Amino acid sequence: MNAEILAVGTELLMGQIANTNAQYLSRRLADLGIKVYYHSVVGDNPGRLKESLKLALDRSDIVITTGGLGPTQDDLTKETIAEAMGKKLVLNQESYERIKHFFERLNRKMADNNAKQAYLPEGSTVIPNPNGTAPGCIIASEGKTIIMLPGPPKEMIPMFEGTVFPYFETKTGQVIASRMLKVFGIGESEMEMRIIDLIQGQANPTIAPYVGLGEVIIRVTAGCRNRCEAEELLEPVIQRIRERLGDFVYATNGENMEDVVVKLLLDRKSTLSTAESCTGGLLASKLVSVPGVSQVFNRGFVTYSNEAKIEELGVSPETLEQYGAVSPETAEEMVRGLAKRAGTNAAISVTGVAGPDGGTAEKPVGLVYVSAILDGRVETRKLNLIGDRERIRNVSCLNALDLLRRMLLGIA
């Protein structure tokens, strides 16, 4: 089977938002063994949408649309597709009740135009939307399948995972299982050289590496008659990859670095505090996104100025005068003062130049120092990062967390 992803929305054509849905859907359809040959984008125009749909159906077995299922007049995806397929829109009572309940939970009155979202093409399969008001649907007719999903990713992704993915699993006759390994501290090229024979020799499972923000992700996917068999195929391949890449592999089930660090802290019953300069609270934000972190995370400081470093963390004015705020000496004094003030046995500090301004020949943009303390022992890393401000801040956080991860594991 082959598929086309047809995104609907003038805002996509105007560049107001990025089409991340197509990226996600292509990846997940590949997991099902469904080939995606085309991505298309069309504005909120019934005529052009009809033309795009006709072209997509001529060349693809499956067409997945995203967007245009809202309550306003320009949300015409469902109406246009129903007309093109010669199907009437009929009220789906269960969807109507779901929409009513959605507004009741928010203690808001449902607008009259929201009712149109409960009208779906006759004979279609409903895709419930647990996070919004627009249900999706599946139309199967004459060997073709059209799937309509809403545009917001927070709605579209759960609907695809909860209904569409299982629907296609029954059609393909096999169960697809994937594991996602995350790799940090080694470049993509070196990583690939270490496992190139595994990639080239792949059949089932398949190995697909790709670059994330400052890290490398390896998706290992197997297809079998049942999930148990697929998992049995995955495990030996994952073990071989781990043997080649060693402790650069920090997760084997798609966990983020902060998830891994929080789990290690919980296992050790350790406590953590953070002090940030150039990352401006991003590190603490990543940590508090992890459920259960309140058991280990004590407090976080954003000590952006020299005065804050002195007053909040006890950094010596002489250290700042002699070495500067961006220095290993300052990073170490920050983390020692932090651990003492917070009373935690683990702490992390970050100081650097995130850019785009503020760099010098001696201390260029991208120079960052991260320091971690665990039970009185301090380790500090010097980083020379490239990229824009967002990337430098994010990769600084990854390095800081990875340093603590290694200390908690006894490998740093």
Side-chain angles (χ1 to χ4, degrees):
M1 290 188 290
N2 62 79
E4 178 161 344
I5 298 165
L6 176 56
V8 182
T10 303
E11 67 277 9
L12 293 166
L13 293 174
M14 295 179 67
Q16 294 173 339
I17 61 172
N19 188 11
T20 58
N21 286 339
Q23 179 189 33
Y24 164 82
L25 289 169
S26 291
R27 189 168 67 243
R28 292 301 277 145
L29 289 169
D31 291 341
L32 288 159
I34 297 172
K35 297 178 175 62
V36 176
Y37 289 152
Y38 302 98
H39 285 185
S40 302
V41 182
V42 64
D44 299 303
N45 179 281
R48 288 191 286 274
L49 176 54
K50 274 186 185 177
E51 292 174 8
S52 298
L53 179 66
K54 182 180 183 305
L55 178 60
L57 287 171
D58 285 344
R59 63 192 182 186
S60 304
D61 304 313
I62 301 161
V63 179
I64 300 179
T65 70
T66 61
L69 300 183
T72 60
Q73 289 188 347
D74 64 342
D75 290 308
L76 295 170
T77 298
K78 184 174 48 183
E79 291 80 357
T80 304
I81 291 176
E83 182 182 340
M85 300 296 288
K87 293 183 176 292
K88 295 179 181 178
L89 290 174
V90 296
L91 177 67
N92 181 271
Q93 191 64 38
E94 185 177 349
S95 294
Y96 182 77
E97 295 301 326
R98 281 177 178 271
I99 295 169
K100 278 182 59 181
H101 182 59
F102 180 89
F103 284 99
E104 287 169 0
R105 279 187 331 208
L106 298 175
N107 198 26
R108 287 170 49 194
K109 185 179 183 300
M110 185 179 94
D112 291 341
N113 60 358
N114 280 109
K116 94 177 185 91
Q117 295 179 294
Y119 282 81
L120 300 169
E122 57 184 345
S124 62
T125 300
V126 179
I127 305 173
N129 183 349
N131 300 301
T133 58
C137 65
I138 302 171
I139 303 173
S141 177
E142 299 179 358
K144 303 289 186 177
T145 303
I146 300 175
I147 295 172
M148 288 180 262
L149 294 167
K154 69 176 183 179
E155 299 178 31
M156 187 278 294
I157 291 174
M159 292 168 71
F160 183 88
E161 294 295 337
T163 302
V164 181
F165 194 94
Y167 172 83
F168 280 128
E169 279 188 319
T170 65
K171 300 297 181 184
T172 58
Q174 63 176 347
V175 170
I176 305 294
S178 291
R179 295 269 296 278
M180 192 161 66
L181 283 66
K182 291 195 172 181
V183 182
F184 183 76
I186 185 174
E188 181 190 17
S189 298
E190 185 180 347
M191 180 278 299
E192 185 179 68
M193 290 304 298
R194 292 192 184 198
I195 64 169
I196 190 66
D197 59 315
L198 301 179
I199 296 173
Q200 291 176 341
Q202 64 181 317
N204 186 26
T206 58
I207 303 170
Y210 55 98
V211 179
L213 182 59
E215 61 188 0
V216 180
I217 300 166
I218 304 172
R219 184 182 292 275
V220 185
T221 303
C224 271
R225 292 172 299 175
N226 58 64
R227 190 162 297 277
C228 189
E229 286 184 10
E231 292 288 349
E232 287 176 0
L233 282 176
L234 289 174
E235 195 56 41
V237 176
I238 290 169
Q239 288 307 314
R240 283 198 289 274
I241 294 172
R242 294 191 70 177
E243 288 167 7
R244 304 285 184 88
L245 300 181
D247 52 38
F248 292 119
V249 177
Y250 74 81
T252 58
N253 286 294
E255 309 96 312
N256 292 323
M257 185 73 81
E258 54 267 26
D259 297 313
V260 173
V261 169
V262 168
K263 184 178 185 306
L264 289 170
L265 290 165
L266 287 166
D267 289 345
R268 285 176 52 110
K269 294 183 172 55
S270 294
T271 52
L272 174 67
S273 51
T274 59
E276 305 176 63
S277 185
C278 65
T279 48
L282 182 61
L283 177 59
S285 177
K286 288 178 179 293
L287 287 164
V288 299
S289 70
V290 181
V293 73
S294 59
Q295 298 178 56
V296 296
F297 187 52
N298 181 291
R299 69 190 74 183
F301 292 91
V302 177
T303 54
Y304 216 69
S305 66
N306 284 353
E307 291 78 11
K309 293 177 178 66
I310 294 167
E311 293 170 9
E312 303 294 345
L313 306 175
V315 175
S316 165
E318 291 75 22
T319 298
L320 292 165
E321 178 67 28
Q322 183 174 354
Y323 301 106
V326 182
S327 65
E329 291 82 6
T330 295
E332 182 171 333
E333 285 196 23
M334 285 173 68
V335 82
R336 287 190 184 278
L338 170 65
K340 182 178 180 181
R341 172 160 184 182
T344 57
N345 63 318
I348 301 173
S349 69
V350 186
T351 182
V353 187
D357 304 315
T360 65
E362 184 184 39
K363 297 183 178 182
V365 170
L367 175 65
V368 178
Y369 291 93
V370 297
S371 194
I373 187 169
L374 181 64
D375 297 328
R377 183 173 73 88
V378 175
E379 293 284 341
T380 303
R381 278 184 186 172
K382 177 183 179 181
L383 312 175
N384 290 293
L385 306 176
I386 59 171
D388 60 14
R389 185 178 181 85
E390 179 186 6
R391 186 180 191 280
I392 289 170
R393 293 174 68 232
N394 272 283
V395 178
S396 296
C397 290
L398 272 171
N399 273 279
L401 290 166
D402 185 59
L403 177 57
L404 182 58
R405 173 185 76 94
R406 291 174 173 276
M407 293 176 73
L408 288 164
L409 292 171
I411 55 176

